[in-house]
Amino acid sequence: MPKIDVLILGSGIAGLSYALKVGERFPDKTIAVLTKAAEGESNTKYAQGGIATVTDTIADSYEKHIADTLAAGDGLCNPAIVQMVVEEGPKRLNELINWGINFDKSDLGEFDLGLEGGHSEHRILHFKDITGYEIERKLIRKIKQHKNIALLTEHFAVDLITQHHLKLPFTKQGVTCFGAYVYNQQTKEIVTYTAKVTLLATGGVGQVYRNTTNPLIATGDGIAMAYRAKAQISNMEFIQFHPTALAYQFSHGRSFLISEAVRGLGAVLKNEKGDAFMKNYDPRGDLASRDIVSRAIDNELKISGSDALYLDCTTISKKDFQYHFPNIYAQCKEIGLDVSKQMIPITPAAHYLCGGIDVDIHGCTSIKNLYACGECANTGLHGANRLASNSLLEALVFAHQSFLHTLEHITQADDPDEIPEWNSKDTFETRERILITHNRKELQSVMSDYVGIIRTNERLNRAAKRISVLYEETETLYRKSKLSTSLFELRNLISTAYLIVEQSKNRSQNKGGYYNSDLS
Ligand code: FAD
Ligand code: SIN
């Protein structure tokens, strides 16, 4: 049973930046970063547009970034958190730069700031259109320089180890976390990791939908684990759909994103008749906030009955496009599209979870010694709809907040009573994997057809019924089957879908990314 000081679940920007800080500050403490996949696989790796931060203090200001974030969040952001995150941004950005991460600059040596929907100024720092890849690989390189940080791949966290307080004095948090049960995908055994503090940095939930920009790892594991441990979870109904995913089915399980920064450089959305339509929906046109653009596209798709609309980039010179978006250019070319001559077929895709595990300003969840940050956390920054490129920023700032709190509290962390071993049962190998794969696909269809951009009461009720059948079937299978990653993920996807549907049903007013046509 490995006994460590700090257990970090997830190796995206949130987990890695927290690990680096704790590792640098406490060279004598043992830290493990666990990931269920290969070391860099994460939502972070695919981030394109960049990080929103105020660096141009002449045209831009904290006040403007705060106002844009609050407007996108449609009245549901926590203003104190918005202010804190925006004002911390430049400091956290400098840390990234000091860790060796590059951002594009102009010939004059100033940051080349991009523009995205909902932003009143150019303020997105980026590295070409592969900002996330640059961040992820440099953070991993840096982590490997620390002898006290172990980065373990193919380690799937299955459940948190928690104890419920029966003795006085009761704390505000009635449950304490002491680590996690982890499935070693190589040895096929469950290992009990006990830790003084645990950080959930397990990322998003996009795979709950059929069409998503998120890679296969985004199965809501951290949220489902936290839910089983009875942590507070909110705002799950606010799923952000990105307006422009490439309408092309790749075999890697995710839709390729066409960054909003392409519209920032002048690309225009057009319907199947070739008409630009966004000004009919919002005076900001193609750069309205994401919820508005995705709903407009959904409406145009329904009117035309077609499967995709178009992004017209032909007014951007080929040289400019290739310079700013080499990755997008290459992907389009691979499927035979010349973006300087042909319009890109696009469709909205599930992209980001605005809610998640509730945390306070220090990154603390409702469970003692359990932090959460990054996409799995609900910090209050995004409210009902995240402003573009505020996610990497939030992950960095809250990794720092959690680090500061860890600094103060790690020495006082309680020791657990005896930790129970993982409950291994008599099980058999699931001979029919179709029982798992079918249910995953069925869940994705239910969520895409009934719990998408536009919802109705009837569709939500139908989704709830179907999910409860999938839940019963999957739990029965889980109880009698041997350990398997696909089954763990299916359970977690079902819990995540359940939370999205239930919290959608509880919402009585349309806000930001949540739209139920029975409420309008
Ligand atoms: P992730 O980076 O997703 O990392 C999660 C980690 O947890 C992974 O290592 C995963 O393997 C691990 N994990 C999950 N479950 C388990 C488990 N059970 N056991 C062990 N490990 C587990 N945001 C921006 O601000 N700007 C952008 O330009 C931008 N572009 C984007 C483009 C795309 C295509 C996508 C998908 C997202 C984009 N986002 C962007 C959103 C942003 O990238 C993510 O919200 C952010 O990177 C999340 O970071 P994270 O560390 O919380 O999670
Ligand atoms: C994009 O580049 O359009 C994605 C940015 C984001 O999700 O914040």
Side-chain angles (χ1 to χ4, degrees), residues 160-220:
L160 296 168
I161 301 168
T162 51
Q163 286 182 352
H164 295 246
H165 306 301
L166 300 173
K167 292 182 259 172
L168 287 171
F170 290 113
T171 56
K172 186 177 105 210
Q173 299 149 308
V175 187
T176 303
C177 179
F178 294 105
Y181 295 110
V182 176
Y183 177 57
N184 180 330
Q185 291 155 272
Q186 290 291 330
T187 62
K188 311 227 175 295
E189 281 167 355
I190 295 276
V191 185
T192 306
Y193 276 81
T194 59
K196 287 190 188 306
V197 299
T198 303
L199 174 81
L200 281 170
T202 45
V205 305
Q207 287 291 327
V208 93
Y209 289 92
R210 197 169 40 212
N211 189 15
T212 176
T213 62
N214 293 190
L216 290 169
I217 54 107
T219 52

Side-chain angles (χ1 to χ4, degrees), residues 46-52 116-117 119 124 129 213 240 242-244 257-263 290 325 328 351-352 386-392:
Y46 299 100
Q48 293 187 354
I51 304 186
E116 291 183 285
H119 287 274
I124 321 290
D129 55 352
T213 62
Q240 181 172 79
H242 197 292
T244 55
L257 183 74
I258 308 293
S259 174
E260 212 158 280
V262 179
R263 273 175 283 139
R290 234 169 239 184
F325 310 113
I328 297 175
H351 182 62
Y352 185 80
R386 172 178 68 99
L387 182 66
S389 289
N390 262 358
S391 167
L392 296 172

